[in-house]
Amino acid sequence: MNYKEKYGYAPDQQEIDGALERISRNIESIITDELLKKCFSMMDLTTLNTHDTEQSVARLVDKVNAFKEAYPAYPLPASICVYSNFASVVAGRKNDADVHTTVVSACFPSSQSFLEVKLLEVKMAVEAGADEVDIVLSHSHFAAGDYDAAVAEIAAVRKTIDQAAAGRHVCLKVILETGIMKTAQEVADASFLAMEAGADFIKTSTGKVSVNATPQAAYVMCQCIKAFCEKTGRKIGFKPAGGMSTAQDAACYYTIVSTVLGREWLDKSLLRFGVSRMANNLLSALEQKTVSFF
């Protein structure tokens, strides 16, 4: 598939570098309490540890449940993100419907297994209460140049989600794992591929490889979202994840989205941050002291 011809977009390295340099130069001046609160409201508050247990996940949910009493001036995070087998713990324990249950699924983080296994995991997660499902692009297909097979797998996940959801909308986020891609054009191809296959969001990274979210990959992905929306009318969301921890990181990605896609995308319905460490750092920046709530 020639995505450049279809969508009229190919990454321009000089343009990308110039835009990111301008954002970096001005980042401190744009950080305000309002911006940090908005970023906080867009978090998928995440625990994806090998040693997670039902008890540790329940403790994280309890912290979210108690957050508004402790910090009434601040918004709740958008969701709590866990492994698929903990979907029922989050869904059954959280006390605010606006906080979604997000799962990583389909053999996260490698996406290396039989398709039937991936689909069963997704189905079970949705039936257990997942509102949002994050899967990884199959690099066994993508890296081999078999884009049709990669598309077919995402489409199969989309179909399985919709069937299991029984009439409710469950959001599908596709993780591109941009840190293992060699060129910006690969990032663009993966972005268009995932959006065409039925993704509601495209996401940078699993957080499980050596290079995770980067401003360059984010900028390319947002440009692809813009080109896709102009062509199809569909607004696709963007989620940077992995390697982010500071208020400056949040402001950087927020500004990339604002610069490329505009204010319409500055809402949790179209922008998310995959975070584990960043939550306390945003609170610390807002409170002007060290906070270790989560």
Side-chain angles (χ1 to χ4, degrees):
M1 170 62 71
N2 187 334
Y3 292 117
K4 177 181 179 181
E5 183 177 306
K6 183 172 184 179
Y7 292 100
Y9 170 75
D12 181 326
Q13 195 60 56
Q14 186 174 355
E15 176 196 350
I16 295 166
D17 290 345
L20 294 178
E21 195 279 328
R22 288 189 295 274
I23 290 171
S24 177
R25 189 170 61 239
N26 296 317
I27 200 70
E28 293 295 336
S29 66
I30 67 162
I31 297 177
T32 63
D33 284 359
E34 181 184 0
L35 182 146
L36 295 178
K37 287 178 184 179
K38 288 202 71 175
C39 289
F40 194 91
S41 75
M42 298 167 181
M43 292 189 310
D44 289 345
L45 188 63
T46 301
T47 180
L48 298 175
N49 300 310
T50 303
H51 55 273
D52 284 342
T53 64
E54 288 192 6
Q55 291 74 25
S56 66
V57 170
R59 286 195 294 272
L60 178 61
V61 177
D62 288 345
K63 288 180 180 180
V64 174
N65 287 341
F67 183 75
K68 288 302 288 184
E69 183 175 350
Y71 294 96
Y74 300 154
L76 287 165
S79 83
I80 301 168
C81 180
V82 296
Y83 283 111
S84 291
N85 49 308
F86 298 121
S88 62
V89 178
V90 178
R93 199 173 184 92
K94 66 185 179 69
N95 60 17
D96 194 312
D98 287 338
V99 178
H100 285 185
T101 300
T102 297
V103 298
V104 293
S105 197
C107 300
F108 174 97
S110 69
S111 192
Q112 295 282 21
S113 190
F114 303 103
L115 178 58
E116 293 83 357
V117 173
K118 297 179 186 181
L119 297 181
L120 179 59
E121 185 185 354
V122 168
K123 176 177 181 291
M124 292 176 71
V126 173
E127 290 175 345
D131 301 302
E132 305 181 8
V133 176
D134 293 18
I135 68 166
V136 182
L137 169 69
S138 176
H139 282 273
S140 61
H141 296 314
F142 183 81
D146 192 350
Y147 287 11
D148 288 343
V151 167
E153 186 162 301
I154 296 169
V157 171
R158 171 85 270 172
K159 181 177 180 180
T160 296
I161 287 172
D162 292 343
Q163 290 174 340
R168 63 191 179 97
H169 178 72
V170 173
C171 176
L172 172 60
K173 307 191 198 88
V174 176
I175 304 164
L176 308 185
E177 202 70 289
T178 56
I180 67 173
M181 295 178 181
K182 295 179 175 64
T183 67
Q185 188 58 55
E186 281 189 297
V187 175
D189 287 349
S191 298
F192 287 124
L193 182 159
M195 291 186 287
E196 286 191 347
D200 296 303
F201 273 71
I202 52 175
K203 176 178 170 182
T204 59
S205 321
T206 60
K208 302 295 186 181
V209 295
S210 58
V211 178
N212 291 288
T214 65
Q216 174 163 308
Y219 201 91
V220 172
M221 290 169 69
C222 288
Q223 287 187 311
C224 291
I225 290 171
K226 181 179 181 179
F228 185 81
C229 183
E230 289 172 349
K231 181 77 171 181
T232 68
R234 284 184 60 210
K235 292 180 179 177
I236 304 298
F238 171 64
K239 179 178 173 178
M244 301 181 303
S245 62
T246 67
Q248 288 78 9
D249 291 335
C252 174
Y253 290 104
Y254 182 96
T255 305
I256 288 171
V257 172
S258 176
T259 299
V260 178
L261 293 167
R263 297 190 63 83
E264 286 181 86
W265 263 261
L266 302 178
D267 181 85
K268 68 180 181 179
S269 65
L270 290 168
L271 175 57
R272 295 291 180 84
F273 298 96
V275 302
S276 53
R277 294 176 296 161
M278 196 169 78
N280 284 331
N281 289 334
L282 288 178
L283 287 174
S284 297
L286 285 162
E287 291 288 301
Q288 296 293 297
K289 63 182 181 180
T290 300
V291 176
S292 299
F293 184 87
F294 293 105

